[in-house]
Amino acid sequence: MERRKGFTLENLKSFWPYISKYRKQMAIGIAALIITDSMTLVVPWLIKEFIDVLPEKPSSELLLKYVFLLLGVSLFLVAGRYGWRVYMFGASRKIEFDILNRLFKHLLTLDRTWYLKQKTGDIMSRATNDLRAVREFFGLGVLILIDAVFVIFAAVGMMSWINFDLMLKVFLPLPIISFLFFYFVKEIGKRHKAVQEHLALITGQVQENLAGIRVLHSFVQEENEKIKFAQLNNEYINKNLAVTRMFGIFTPTMVFIMGVAAMISLWMGGKAVIAGSITLGSFVAFNGYLMLLSWPMMGIGYVFNLTQKGMAAMGRIQDIFSSQPDIKPAPEGADTLVELGDIEFQGLKFTYPGEDTLSLKGVDIKISQGQTLGVVGVIGSGKTTLAQILLRFHDPTAGALLIGGCPIKEIPLQNLRDSIGYVSQEPFLFSTSIRDNIVLGRVSATDRELEEIVRIAGLKKDVERFPHRLDTLIGERGVSLSGGQKQRVALARALIKKPEILILDDAFSHLDSETEEEILENIQGQLRQTTTLIISHRLSAVRGADLIIVLDAGQIIEQGNHASLVRAGGVYANLFQNQLLAREMEILL
């Protein structure tokens, strides 16, 4: 992902729709906060009045009046604090919820090319750690900011009302705080961003290790991974300590400056009381307001921390929102009723992003509806690329691809992929039941249809051995299944959609030849009108195809049916003879 240099107003504007959605709720919270702060500011004034009236030997009724006034203020404080906690913190949680929902939806729209450039751990970190920082900024950060600004201005106003000259003297050291802000703001922001990006590395390391735990066990790499993780954690601690050191200077310096201001107040104010310039109550109230400034001054440092974290996190989340898929949707009004049976490649060329070499070079071929195309070739010859372009994971660099006589770019993407059944060599299964994995693309399938598909995919005997049959949970990525079982579950998932086009990309690599032959016969008997593309290294999988092409370095070097290619004595014939010999040797052994 593109790294942003820092937070900009554009980042904040992009989050305004979420804030405006809860503006009434936040307004109530802010009102409750201001009421709470106002009542807090009343307390020193009441104490001033109480102290100043004592020399006049007031009656018990007057003293009780002040007691009840303080009680009333306390009740307002309780209600106000409850209000801002509920409405401001509640709104920040809802904002977090809305952003997370939008983030997940947007991630689902991004295509394969984008994900190839990302690390899963980094994406997860943005959706968890960064989003939490945004929520804290909108909740606690905004709260403290409003609280600090209101209390500072109100307290300063009250102090100037009590004694303007004393207020000016007390505030002489406070401009140093402004200098601290300007000095520390950029450096703390950089260090916070470094911390969050390093946390993404740690998340990625954990995710990768857990996903590949069996490989780590097989190669006895547990200790090495522990060392790597410890190194990452040490670096994370060091980056956090770098931030802490900055605040270790920033916060104590602010407290020291407030202490100097308090010292000036006690010295100069005490002399004023002795001289009779101000009353003892006014002096106590003045220092009370000065003490009220201590929390906002320190709170500004804390909200500064939250703001830097929140802004850096918002920039990282905005990076995802600003990312757009390379695959553009079909134009509005595109025909959604196109029959996808016929497939025609016309001079098709393709180059992967960032590469100079063509992966496909002028592919010209036509497959009629209901026909089967076999694709063979060495590793890297362009077989899988052909399938991915058909699924529109990528768009051709040049040439055209017509499906049902219509350019593929003019077919709505959802309609296209919904009409294609795809099985890859290493299929992805979800950590749920076998049933849920099979009906993923067609949840309305009946039990009878499900049983038939299980039979066609050669899964019936396996399912009968499972403890809960189709409702057996298979673990993350189908960890409890063998490679062949995974492929057959994925095949059943593709077939139950009743696709108009079926793509089998080395889908039988984990199966023996007999099982492969049986499944292919089942498929041919069931999907007579389905156009099928079979990609395989084993020629036994494609020998029954209507047309077979041999790819080499992205070019079609041979094509024909099985019999004609064997008679031609070319690359296909040599591959067939070698595999036939290898199979005879296996039988003899």
Side-chain angles (χ1 to χ4, degrees), residues 47-58 62-63 66:
I47 293 173
K48 167 193 173 300
E49 294 293 318
F50 183 80
I51 292 174
D52 284 344
V53 83
L54 287 178
E56 300 175 7
K57 296 181 180 180
L62 184 59
L63 294 177
Y66 286 109

Side-chain angles (χ1 to χ4, degrees), residues 1-15 102 106 114 122 126 130 186 189-194 196-197 308 310-324:
M1 291 179 191
E2 179 188 351
R3 300 296 184 192
R4 295 179 181 266
K5 293 181 180 179
F7 174 75
T8 64
L9 285 176
E10 291 301 317
N11 291 340
L12 186 57
K13 287 179 182 178
S14 65
F15 286 86
R102 184 192 165 194
H106 187 72
W114 185 85
D122 182 64
R126 294 180 193 231
D130 289 343
K186 289 185 179 179
K190 289 178 185 176
R191 295 188 184 190
H192 267 306
K193 185 175 181 181
Q196 286 169 283
E197 289 179 349
Q308 290 298 320
M311 297 307 187
M314 286 166 67
R316 282 165 50 80
I317 292 173
Q318 186 58 25
D319 281 338
I320 296 181
F321 286 143
S322 62
S323 299
Q324 296 298 324

